Amino acid sequence: MTIEIGTPALLFSATSLILLAYTNRFLTIAQIVRGLKKTYDQDRNKSILLEIKNLNLRLTLIRYMQLFGVLCLFLSVFGMLMLFLEQQAVGIYLFGFSLLSLLISLGISFWEISISVTALRLHLSDIVEEESSKD
């Protein structure tokens, strides 16, 4: 099997956009955590503490998503270098590992989104219970 030097470059645009999305998620959650911490320092509400712990887990997952996304990009570039230096086998393996890194990153992203959806459903459950008790 042989691949051209441009094949690993196909991951550049996708990986760059994914990393941008991960960074935006990180910044949004960090802002929410800062606001919740202020509220927790004033009220010492246990539900806020649980929400902060949930967000802390999500921040950790986003860090790993970013790590594997950057690793994907790094391995793609390194694979291109090996292909440029006519090291076909090494280039192919590096490209394969870059694809694996991207898959891991996307898998962790799915996990983080699942946690987010569960947390939002719990957050909204109070409203749903109030509405159903009115009926």
Side-chain angles (χ1 to χ4, degrees):
M1 178 170 132
T2 61
I3 61 174
E4 295 179 22
I5 195 167
T7 304
L10 295 172
L11 292 180
F12 286 10
S13 59
T15 305
S16 298
L17 288 173
I18 287 171
L19 289 173
L20 181 62
Y22 292 169
T23 301
N24 286 338
R25 283 159 100 171
F26 177 83
L27 293 174
T28 302
I29 292 174
Q31 185 178 4
I32 293 168
V33 167
R34 286 185 188 101
L36 285 174
K37 178 158 181 348
K38 279 184 183 178
T39 306
Y40 179 75
D41 287 343
Q42 294 169 354
D43 297 343
R44 298 284 180 194
N45 187 334
K46 186 171 173 103
S47 67
I48 293 174
L49 183 61
L50 292 172
E51 205 166 331
I52 290 172
K53 286 181 180 181
N54 179 290
L55 291 170
N56 187 39
L57 171 62
R58 290 179 58 201
L59 286 171
T60 301
L61 291 175
I62 291 171
R63 182 179 67 208
Y64 285 113
M65 289 160 38
Q66 289 173 324
L67 173 91
F68 282 103
V70 169
L71 184 62
C72 169
L73 198 56
F74 176 81
L75 291 171
S76 286
V77 171
F78 198 46
M80 285 177 65
L81 177 64
M82 290 296 106
L83 292 171
F84 178 75
L85 297 174
E86 297 182 3
Q87 298 294 317
Q88 190 69 221
V90 176
I92 289 171
Y93 282 112
L94 288 171
F95 180 59
F97 286 129
S98 72
L99 291 174
L100 181 63
S101 294
L102 183 58
L103 279 172
I104 292 169
S105 177
L106 292 172
I108 296 170
S109 176
F110 181 76
W111 182 12
E112 190 269 333
I113 290 168
S114 298
I115 291 170
S116 173
V117 169
T118 303
L120 286 173
R121 284 190 177 143
L122 282 171
H123 197 66
L124 294 174
S125 66
D126 296 342
I127 296 171
V128 173
E129 288 174 10
E130 284 179 22
E131 288 299 316
S132 64
S133 66
K134 286 181 183 178
D135 295 336

